[in-house]
Amino acid sequence: MPIRLILIGPPGVGKGTQAALIEERLGVRTLSSGVIFRAEIEAETDLGQLAKSYIDRGELVPNGVTIQMMLKRIRSDEARKKGFVLDGFPRTIRQAEALELELNQAEMPIQRVISLEVSEDVLIRRLSGRLGCTKCGALYHRTNKPPKRDGLCDVCNSPLFVRADDQPDTIRQRLVVFNEQTSPLVEFYEERGMLRHVDATHEAEEVYREIIEGLS
Ligand code: AMP
């Protein structure tokens, strides 16, 4: 049966890192709303332009366009056949309700919702040193996971970049938005018996093991 999994948690908790490990090891495609928005911005589409105005301020992109963008991908043949890991979506109760309706109608139930959790101090430290590859999207950290060559990706040798929204003021705003708009999802999924809490303070490998254990 295809794996269908949702990762929720504040910015910097390691959703992207875990989604990449799951994709690499289990062959399940990640659908990451943040990555898709950044690709739209890069391609200078109308959606990208709209999204950028919110992302740069640390605000959420409006529900309507976000839901449409994600449901389109969830309806794809590949997602239907092979399953998916959702990273960064849903982020509001409205998004969660729209997703639930879609998946119920399509008879594609979610197996598990993983809530990745760490203290705010750790989040700020992780976000402040974060680096990403401009080409393949591999993730690094200045102190926790530095690239072998300064400023260059280990995988494809392309330059690394710091996300525009990983600046201190924007980080603070993103955490406020998470606490207000996204954290209610924990209760939403807990009520449905789908949630598993995972302490994401540990090393990425240990967090990965806990996520996989939670699938059985
Ligand atoms: P991320 O890469 O997941 O940290 O997302 C980066 C930014 O994209 C967020 O701070 C939001 O501005 C926007 N974004 C990503 N996912 C969503 C979503 N599900 N709903 C609204 N905005 C989103």
Side-chain angles (χ1 to χ4, degrees):
M1 190 170 118
I3 290 178
R4 297 186 208 99
L5 188 65
I6 300 178
L7 300 179
I8 59 175
V13 77
K15 297 187 298 294
T17 301
Q18 292 302 323
L21 285 175
I22 297 168
E23 180 163 306
E24 181 190 310
R25 295 178 186 177
L26 304 182
V28 188
R29 179 65 67 90
T30 302
L31 297 176
S32 163
S33 43
V35 169
I36 299 168
F37 280 135
R38 284 188 287 282
E40 295 281 340
I41 293 172
E42 187 73 18
E44 298 182 351
T45 64
D46 289 347
L47 173 59
Q49 239 168 21
L50 173 84
K52 186 170 164 38
S53 62
Y54 293 93
I55 293 174
D56 285 353
R57 282 184 280 128
E59 301 288 345
L60 294 185
V61 179
N63 281 321
V65 286
T66 304
I67 291 169
Q68 215 183 3
M69 175 181 92
M70 294 305 288
L71 292 190
K72 191 172 104 189
R73 286 166 172 83
I74 288 167
R75 289 183 191 124
S76 73
D77 277 352
E78 183 180 356
R80 187 173 286 276
K81 282 191 204 123
K82 296 195 180 158
F84 48 79
V85 179
L86 294 180
D87 156 26
F89 178 85
R91 247 176 165 102
T92 63
I93 294 286
R94 247 203 68 200
Q95 293 178 13
E97 286 169 348
L99 176 67
E100 184 173 63
L101 188 68
E102 174 74 23
L103 295 178
N104 282 346
Q105 281 171 355
E107 296 182 4
M108 290 162 69
I110 292 288
Q111 269 120 346
R112 191 63 81 212
V113 179
I114 306 285
S115 168
L116 295 172
E117 296 164 2
V118 296
S119 73
E120 205 147 290
D121 294 359
V122 175
L123 289 180
I124 292 173
R125 252 179 283 139
R126 285 190 187 167
L127 287 165
S128 313
R130 196 151 79 156
L131 297 164
C133 174
T134 45
K135 189 155 171 234
C136 75
L139 298 171
Y140 301 87
H141 189 277
R142 278 192 220 290
T143 45
N144 301 345
K145 193 189 170 202
K148 294 196 182 78
R149 282 147 305 159
D150 208 20
L152 292 177
C153 179
D154 294 352
V155 182
C156 69
N157 216 27
S158 303
L160 301 180
F161 77 110
V162 176
R163 278 172 47 172
D165 57 347
D166 279 347
Q167 308 301 335
D169 282 353
T170 321
I171 289 175
R172 268 191 292 277
Q173 177 57 21
R174 287 162 66 205
L175 292 174
V176 168
V177 167
F178 173 81
N179 289 329
E180 284 175 3
Q181 301 196 50
T182 309
S183 64
L185 292 182
V186 169
E187 201 181 315
F188 180 91
Y189 286 117
E190 210 147 39
E191 280 169 2
R192 286 158 174 74
M194 294 160 79
L195 196 85
R196 184 175 162 119
H197 298 270
V198 170
D199 181 355
T201 318
H202 308 297
E203 291 282 307
E205 285 294 337
E206 201 173 326
V207 175
Y208 175 77
R209 267 197 301 279
E210 272 194 55
I211 293 176
I212 299 305
E213 275 169 23
L215 285 182
S216 49

